[in-house]
Amino acid sequence: MKHILASLLATCSVGMTSMNAVAAEPPVIPVPKSSKSLSGAPVQLSPNTPIYYRGKNAKAVAELLSTSLKAQTGIQTRVTELQGEATKGITLQINPKHPDNNPEAYALKSEKGLIQIMAPESAGLFYGSQTLLQLIPDGKPQVAPVLITDAPNYPWRGMMLDVSRYFFTKEYVLRYLDMMAMHKMNTLHWHLIDDAGWRIEIKKYPKLTEIGAWRGKGDKRYGGFYTQEDIKEIVAYASARNITIVPEIELPAHTLPALVAYPHLGCFNKQFEVPTRHFISQDLYCPGKETTWTFLEDVFNEVCDLFPGTFIHIGGDEAKYSRWKKCPDCQKAIKDNQLKNEHALQGWMTTRVENYLAKKNKRIIGWDEILGAGVSNKAGIMTWHKPRTAVDGAKRGNPVVMSLTGHAYFDVAESKLEGEPPTAGWIPPISLKKAYQWEPAPKELKGTPAAKNILGASGCVWTDQFLHRAHILADKPGKGTSASEGYVDYLSLPRMAALAEVTWSPQGKRDYARFSERMKPMYQRYDRLGYQYRVPVPDVQIQRTPEKTYKLSATPPVAGGTIRYTTDGSKPTANSKVMHGSVTVSKVHDFRAATFTAGDKRQSLLFEYADPNNKFAKFGKLVGKWESGKVGNGKAKEVIFDATGLINSNGTYIITFQYTGGRERLDIDGIEVVRNDTVHVGKDIHHGFTGGSSKNNRYTIKVGNYETGASFKIKAQIYGDVGDDSNGMVLIQKKK
């Protein structure tokens, strides 16, 4: 085996150059560290193709590969231990003397009827097998001659799945792990506990799941939890795919279900209910009671037994101290421990948890708020909204994982296009390009010893929208779970692929245009696996011609797909014209296009021309549009506009109604803004209008007590003065 490995790696070192042409890169996500096309015919796969394995744990990887090949190609291969050397088939071999000592590194060579994958450990073999699966073209069981050497740039490549706000079945969690594995992601941050539900069975405290896992009453009762047997199965499934699960056991905030089940854990023994609407509860664990500590230690004992990984996530974010300030037990704890204030009490609590878990050979990781809470430099910091904490934490010696809201919060939409599903809107959309074009390690750390403390990044799929918009998103009785699961698929893909490349591939190897090319066959894999991904919108290039027409060009962003278009402003369908290269139109404003996947089974949202010279930009950002027939006719009608994400902090906001067309002007009798559909924020009641001229068409709202993640709606009383044929825009800007 030694001389085979030497030959394989020697070949790899000859002639390796950076790939500047799209065609030179193999269709692999994430892009490998180095690759080289070899001469010769493709290696053909057939039922006679053997999969040989050699080395510790190599058999399990070989069996997984065989199963995946059967699902992908229909070919049933045979798995057998390698005796001597192979000249045909597929070999998976572990060599502890592999020149790259990264346990996830691998080398792959396909040539002359033989596919070889070698790695220092089984993790590398597994990732080599994932690369192999991507090298097989759709419908062609063959692998082109190629040589790849590869290893990840960061050790933490993660996704967070929130199962507290909405419970997902064990089967879907396993499916999500498969989704992660195909992208070479290796850490699932499992958000098991929040105010909306407790999802992990704790045998010593059965009420946590008997009561705390459920919300609502009667036919609206909803919830679920994972038994410890479920969790053992999920952990084992993840481990076989080189994925570590980091459970999140929140404290001191986001723990209302525990207080519902066991009221004595709170400050005043008050009985609560598990909320059916999203909000950030001010009721926290009471750290001043020893009974709280008995509970926490018992819970962590069972959690540590279930999850073999190093880290336990303890949350630590968004704690409001109003109850602690009035609690005699908390105030006594502050005095007895000579603490400055309630924030210091949270730090004392966090440190006590950290020290307890250290005795069980575990380390804590928490949101970036815990950095200022007195934790040791062994505590992990998950930076989400304060990028400076990544720099400060890394310099201090803390391991840091980047989950930045601007790049990795996948519960927000990719765009503001019409047709996007309901998503979080308190931050701007995160397009696929934005999810791709960033680097986890802050520039300030470049070239410093602290840079190694940036472990990687994690994408977050929060599910609080199932609380805000349960009537739209939640699974309907008797209809299965495909709706909710499809929603999470849509939010995750293809942005998970972008994050995978950000965390696996060196920055110098990453290029968005080449990534987009390599994604084309990946979308076919998603289709084959039944993933409900977001179909990419056509990237239409517009060029003004000397004849004062418009030349529009685009290529399908999905392998096997087409771009269909219309020129009359209507929505393209499977019967619309196919765009072959380019088309020329006289009126660009009426052009619409959409991507259709193979067989026209699915389509993207619409591409439509956006005027870069929007004359109303001075009034702020677009909230929404009112349309003819959807406003009152001579009498006020309530029309609701979603301002979630545009109202993004406390302050004063100006809302402007601007007419754009129609026979009637728009009259406005006033507006009201509400938070989370029910909480009154403010009103501005006065009459205004906008049409050929405008008067008093701007409305002022002052926002206080802003909550991260909250939704905001503008309820407007509007109508056409003598009919309902009126169109226009609602815009918003924050007063400086």
Side-chain angles (χ1 to χ4, degrees):
M1 179 172 68
K2 187 184 296 183
H3 75 270
I4 291 178
L5 176 65
S7 173
L8 190 159
L9 295 173
T11 308
C12 192
S13 65
V14 176
M16 292 306 298
T17 59
S18 72
M19 304 296 161
N20 295 317
V22 170
E25 286 185 335
V28 175
I29 302 287
V31 63
K33 200 172 182 179
S34 63
S35 61
K36 178 185 178 183
S37 296
L38 302 178
S39 60
V43 177
Q44 302 296 324
L45 304 177
S46 73
N48 296 320
T49 299
I51 299 179
Y52 297 109
Y53 66 88
R54 178 185 283 158
K56 184 180 179 182
N57 299 323
K59 181 179 179 181
V61 178
E63 290 173 340
L64 278 176
L65 175 59
S66 180
T67 300
S68 297
L69 281 172
K70 177 72 181 333
Q72 181 169 331
T73 67
I75 294 172
Q76 180 64 64
T77 52
R78 53 188 175 87
V79 175
T80 184
E81 186 171 8
L82 181 61
Q83 305 293 335
E85 306 298 349
T87 58
K88 300 292 181 182
I90 301 169
T91 65
L92 305 178
Q93 301 186 63
I94 291 175
N95 182 359
K97 295 183 180 180
H98 190 283
D100 192 330
N101 60 7
N102 187 321
E104 296 179 311
Y106 69 91
L108 182 152
K109 184 179 182 182
S110 170
E111 187 182 40
K112 298 177 181 177
L114 179 64
I115 300 169
Q116 303 172 77
I117 302 175
M118 291 191 178
E121 296 186 20
S122 61
L125 283 188
F126 179 77
Y127 291 134
S129 70
Q130 293 304 305
T131 293
L132 172 58
L133 292 169
Q134 290 192 50
L135 292 172
I136 302 171
D138 198 56
K140 295 181 180 179
Q142 62 184 36
V143 178
V146 69
L147 183 62
I148 293 172
T149 58
D150 204 4
N153 202 35
Y154 289 99
W156 188 303
R157 306 178 304 280
M159 289 295 298
M160 186 281 287
L161 182 61
D162 175 7
V163 297
S164 172
R165 274 64 173 266
Y166 199 81
F167 177 73
F168 293 92
T169 65
K170 175 188 70 176
E171 290 72 23
Y172 184 71
V173 176
L174 297 178
R175 184 170 176 267
Y176 202 77
L177 289 167
D178 284 332
M179 190 187 297
M180 291 176 60
M182 72 182 287
H183 293 91
K184 301 186 176 76
M185 306 292 268
N186 69 353
T187 307
L188 174 65
H189 169 191
W190 204 7
H191 192 74
L192 290 162
I193 295 166
D194 212 296
D195 287 329
W198 184 288
R199 305 297 179 208
I200 175 173
E201 178 189 26
I202 301 297
K203 292 185 181 295
K204 196 164 185 177
Y205 297 93
K207 290 182 181 180
L208 289 172
T209 47
E210 290 173 359
I211 297 173
W214 306 91
R215 61 178 182 255
K217 297 178 180 179
D219 60 357
K220 293 185 178 181
R221 187 171 185 258
Y222 168 79
F225 64 94
Y226 306 98
T227 67
Q228 293 200 1
E229 290 306 309
D230 289 336
I231 290 171
K232 290 174 184 176
E233 181 182 343
I234 290 168
V235 168
Y237 193 89
S239 179
R241 289 152 182 78
N242 197 47
I243 296 173
T244 299
I245 298 182
V246 177
E248 184 168 359
I249 309 298
E250 287 257 23
L251 63 91
H254 296 286
T255 56
L256 196 56
L259 275 60
V260 173
Y262 298 99
H264 70 275
L265 298 173
C267 287
F268 301 107
N269 301 335
K270 187 177 178 181
Q271 183 64 61
F272 302 100
E273 290 186 351
V274 178
T276 58
R277 300 289 299 173
H278 174 68
F279 76 104
I280 300 172
S281 174
Q282 298 187 35
D283 291 282
L284 319 177
Y285 285 132
C286 179
K289 298 177 182 177
E290 277 305 309
T291 50
T292 300
W293 289 102
T294 299
F295 169 82
L296 288 173
E297 290 174 5
D298 289 340
V299 168
F300 281 123
N301 288 343
E302 295 192 33
V303 169
C304 289
D305 288 341
L306 289 168
F307 296 95
T310 301
F311 287 101
I312 304 291
H313 203 299
I314 53 90
D317 62 317
E318 299 177 326
K320 299 181 179 182
Y321 304 131
S322 59
R323 304 292 188 262
W324 284 4
K325 288 179 179 179
K326 298 177 181 179
C327 173
D329 294 305
C330 290
Q331 292 304 309
K332 184 176 185 300
I334 291 173
K335 182 178 179 180
D336 290 349
N337 292 282
Q338 299 180 347
L339 304 174
K340 185 177 180 180
N341 52 28
E342 288 75 23
H343 180 65
L345 180 61
Q346 181 179 353
W348 172 81
M349 183 181 193
T350 304
T351 301
R352 182 166 169 176
V353 169
E354 180 183 15
N355 292 338
Y356 182 77
L357 288 174
K359 295 176 184 177
K360 304 182 78 63
N361 296 315
K362 300 289 185 182
R363 296 166 67 179
I364 65 167
I365 185 169
W367 301 109
D368 52 33
E369 286 92 331
I370 74 168
L371 184 61
V375 294
S376 77
N377 62 4
K378 292 184 178 180
I381 308 300
M382 191 165 272
T383 295
W384 67 287
H385 72 316
K386 295 180 179 178
R388 184 68 208 179
T389 60
V391 175
D392 294 342
K395 287 183 175 179
R396 188 171 177 261
N398 293 86
V400 178
V401 177
M402 305 297 283
S403 292
L404 294 178
T405 56
H407 295 281
Y409 265 45
F410 296 162
D411 57 314
V412 302
E414 283 200 36
S415 73
K416 285 187 173 291
L417 294 176
E418 184 179 348
E420 293 281 17
T423 58
W426 61 280
I427 52 177
I430 298 176
S431 65
L432 180 62
K433 191 172 187 178
K434 193 172 183 182
Y436 185 86
Q437 291 184 328
W438 69 294
E439 175 63 29
K443 291 182 180 179
E444 186 176 332
L445 298 179
K446 187 175 182 179
T448 70
K452 71 179 187 303
N453 294 324
I454 304 297
L455 300 186
S458 183
C460 295
V461 181
W462 300 101
T463 57
D464 45 281
Q465 292 304 306
F466 283 95
L467 292 163
H468 291 308
R469 299 175 172 93
H471 62 292
I472 299 174
L473 297 175
D475 296 308
K476 304 300 185 288
K479 300 293 185 180
T481 57
S482 61
S484 61
E485 293 166 2
Y487 176 77
V488 172
D489 284 3
Y490 184 95
L491 295 181
S492 301
L493 298 176
R495 290 182 291 189
M496 185 191 292
L499 183 61
E501 192 147 307
V502 166
T503 52
W504 179 282
S505 307
Q507 191 171 17
K509 290 287 294 182
R510 301 199 304 264
D511 177 86
Y512 184 71
R514 298 203 301 266
F515 167 77
S516 298
E517 283 296 318
R518 285 181 283 106
M519 278 301 299
K520 289 181 178 181
M522 194 65 151
Y523 292 120
Q524 283 187 315
R525 294 193 73 201
Y526 294 163
D527 279 325
R528 187 171 60 249
L529 293 166
Y531 296 151
Q532 299 300 302
Y533 63 96
R534 183 184 187 271
V535 179
V537 176
D539 181 15
V540 179
Q541 303 300 311
I542 303 174
Q543 182 181 356
R544 185 77 158 147
T545 70
E547 294 79 17
K548 296 185 179 181
T549 59
Y550 297 89
K551 182 181 179 181
L552 302 101
S553 58
T555 56
V558 176
T562 57
I563 296 174
R564 296 183 179 274
Y565 71 96
T566 62
T567 56
D568 61 359
S570 62
K571 183 178 179 180
T573 69
N575 296 317
S576 299
K577 292 180 180 178
V578 175
M579 190 173 186
H580 297 289
S582 65
V583 296
T584 300
V585 299
S586 57
K587 294 182 179 180
V588 71
H589 292 82
D590 291 332
F591 179 84
R592 303 287 186 274
T595 303
F596 285 75
T597 62
D600 297 325
K601 292 179 180 178
R602 299 183 64 215
Q603 74 175 82
S604 72
L605 303 179
L606 294 187
F607 166 86
E608 51 186 319
Y609 178 72
D611 187 349
N613 301 310
N614 178 6
K615 62 183 179 180
F616 302 128
K618 64 182 179 180
F619 296 124
K621 295 182 178 180
L622 179 68
V623 178
K625 299 178 181 180
W626 73 85
E627 298 177 349
S628 177
K630 296 183 179 180
V631 299
N633 183 343
K635 183 179 179 181
K637 176 181 178 180
E638 182 178 270
V639 179
I640 298 175
F641 301 94
D642 190 350
T644 305
L646 299 170
I647 297 176
N648 53 21
S649 63
N650 290 328
T652 301
Y653 292 83
I654 310 297
I655 293 126
T656 302
F657 292 80
Q658 188 62 54
Y659 166 89
T660 59
R663 290 193 298 268
E664 281 83 48
R665 77 180 191 186
L666 185 83
D667 282 59
I668 312 110
D669 280 351
I671 68 166
E672 177 187 14
V673 172
V674 296
R675 185 177 72 236
N676 294 337
D677 294 328
T678 57
V679 181
H680 171 77
V681 174
K683 287 183 178 181
D684 186 349
I685 306 299
H686 72 262
H687 182 262
F689 64 84
T690 177
S693 62
S694 298
K695 184 177 181 181
N696 298 328
N697 61 323
R698 307 188 77 189
Y699 293 77
T700 303
I701 296 291
K702 187 173 183 179
V703 175
N705 296 320
Y706 173 81
E707 284 187 0
T708 299
S711 67
F712 288 88
K713 304 285 180 60
I714 298 170
K715 296 183 176 181
Q717 302 295 325
I718 56 177
Y719 53 100
D721 56 345
V722 292
D724 60 6
D725 183 12
S726 181
N727 300 278
M729 300 187 297
V730 182
L731 304 110
I732 189 170
Q733 62 184 177
K734 189 175 181 182
K735 194 172 182 180
K736 296 181 180 178

